[in-house]
Amino acid sequence: GQSCAGGLTCGTVSCCDSILVPGGVFPMGRSASGTDAFGDGIVEEQPEHNATLDSFYLDTFEVTVGRFRKFVQAYNGTPPTEGAGDHHGLGAGWQGAWNKNLPANQAALISSLNCSPSYQTWTDEAGANENRPINCVSWHQAIAFCLWDGGRLPTEAEWEYAAAGGSENRLYPWGTTDPSVDKSLANDAHTDGDASPFIDVGSHSKGQGRWGHQDLAGGVWEWTIDVHSGQWYSGGGASCNNCENVEDIGASYRVIRGGCWLNHRLELRAAYRTKANPTLPTASLGFRCSRNK
């Protein structure tokens, strides 16, 4: 992606590194007695149902401040083209009605990134935060970035597939170990002293997912393209193919995944799902991009 033009390195690899996730079938949602069973899980994680996905690429890291700075520098208020990102023809591409939700110009975009003096990672000048996850980004801004960078926002199914390790159906991206017991697994509320948005991406590599993705649990919450609905896992647990919940594309809330530095083991699970207002940027919320094979 052009967000790493000129080179941006996170650890030993490009901050734009993207890992191929091989397609397959996995049990989406939370089981009652399987490998991802969890006694305190929430109702809308069920019923567990088979989801089939094509292969796709998913960014190794959450989008960093340095990558997003390239987008800000290029931004002039021009929205994505109609339909961009609709990779399965299900209606999830960019819609002209969303144009009004983008900042009018670069100055307005920068203003929106300054959403929390104490916790925002954006700085108007490049500094110590360049390899930290960008936050204070709205859902529309996240989509616009991913499309500009040659990708798209992941579907909720793609995100969970990567976090659960596909058919391995992991409880957490790293497996079954309780993050309150091993505090080195994620940037979360269990860690000793470093639970903060101001932690470089990839700093908790012990907690990486099956295919090598970093920070799928903790760090910042991550936007997905899907509309949030408490009924999405209902309907008798029907199987689905390249699932995208876009039935009500004008809905108020979108699905977010993965938990953040403020969260505990409940929210860090691969099956945990909740929602956020797409127009309201917060310091606990960021994203990563998905890419077609």
Side-chain angles (χ1 to χ4, degrees), residues 58-291:
L58 185 67
D59 287 0
T60 302
F61 307 106
E62 293 163 336
V63 174
T64 62
V65 172
R67 287 181 64 190
F68 203 81
R69 190 177 302 283
K70 297 289 185 66
F71 174 66
V72 172
Q73 291 169 345
Y75 188 78
N76 62 7
T78 303
T81 58
E82 184 83 16
D86 190 14
H87 63 297
H88 286 125
L90 298 177
W94 183 266
Q95 296 194 3
W98 300 341
N99 293 354
K100 65 181 183 296
N101 296 116
L102 289 178
N105 50 45
Q106 185 184 85
L109 175 57
I110 291 172
S111 178
S112 71
L113 293 170
N114 286 279
C115 83
S116 173
S118 297
Y119 296 107
Q120 70 190 39
T121 53
W122 172 262
T123 55
D124 290 349
E125 300 294 334
N129 291 354
E130 298 306 283
N131 280 9
R132 292 164 182 172
I134 187 68
N135 57 19
C136 292
V137 175
S138 74
W139 181 78
H140 300 91
Q141 292 168 12
I143 298 175
F145 171 91
C146 288
L147 294 175
W148 170 83
D149 204 44
R152 52 183 173 78
L153 268 189
T155 66
E156 181 180 12
E158 286 176 334
W159 192 98
E160 186 175 326
Y161 185 87
S167 60
E168 291 186 2
N169 201 25
R170 296 179 177 184
L171 178 61
Y172 299 102
W174 53 81
T176 59
T177 303
D178 190 326
S180 68
V181 175
D182 186 343
K183 300 180 179 182
S184 67
L185 291 167
N187 175 18
D188 58 46
H190 298 297
T191 59
D192 294 320
D194 71 341
S196 162
F198 305 111
I199 302 293
D200 286 0
V201 297
S203 294
H204 295 79
S205 59
K206 185 177 179 181
Q208 69 182 20
R210 175 182 177 182
W211 291 286
H213 297 95
Q214 304 288 333
D215 307 310
L216 286 167
V220 289
W221 285 101
E222 299 180 20
W223 288 114
T224 71
I225 194 69
D226 293 59
V227 171
H228 180 273
S229 168
Q231 302 302 312
W232 178 228
Y233 278 4
S234 300
S239 61
C240 60
N241 188 4
N242 291 314
C243 319
E244 295 179 28
N245 185 16
V246 296
E247 293 178 5
D248 181 7
I249 206 68
S252 297
Y253 292 96
R254 299 286 166 168
V255 175
I256 58 174
R257 291 298 205 117
C260 74
W261 83 92
L262 295 168
N263 294 125
H264 298 79
R265 62 179 190 157
L266 170 70
E267 297 91 351
L268 302 178
R269 294 174 299 114
Y272 187 84
R273 59 198 303 268
T274 190
K275 62 187 178 182
N277 185 325
T279 65
L280 184 64
T282 70
S284 63
L285 184 50
F287 67 105
R288 76 179 74 212
C289 302
S290 179
R291 298 165 194 278

Side-chain angles (χ1 to χ4, degrees), residues 17-22 54-60 151-152 154 158 213 289-293:
D17 191 54
S18 195
I19 299 172
L20 178 65
V21 181
D54 295 337
S55 299
F56 62 98
Y57 286 89
L58 185 67
D59 287 0
T60 302
R152 52 183 173 78
E158 286 176 334
H213 297 95
C289 302
S290 179
R291 298 165 194 278
N292 296 338
K293 181 180 176 183

Side-chain angles (χ1 to χ4, degrees), residues 27 30-38 46 48 168-171 176:
R30 174 175 53 87
S31 65
S33 59
T35 52
D36 66 338
F38 192 81
Q46 294 181 314
E48 191 174 62
E168 291 186 2
N169 201 25
R170 296 179 177 184
L171 178 61
T176 59

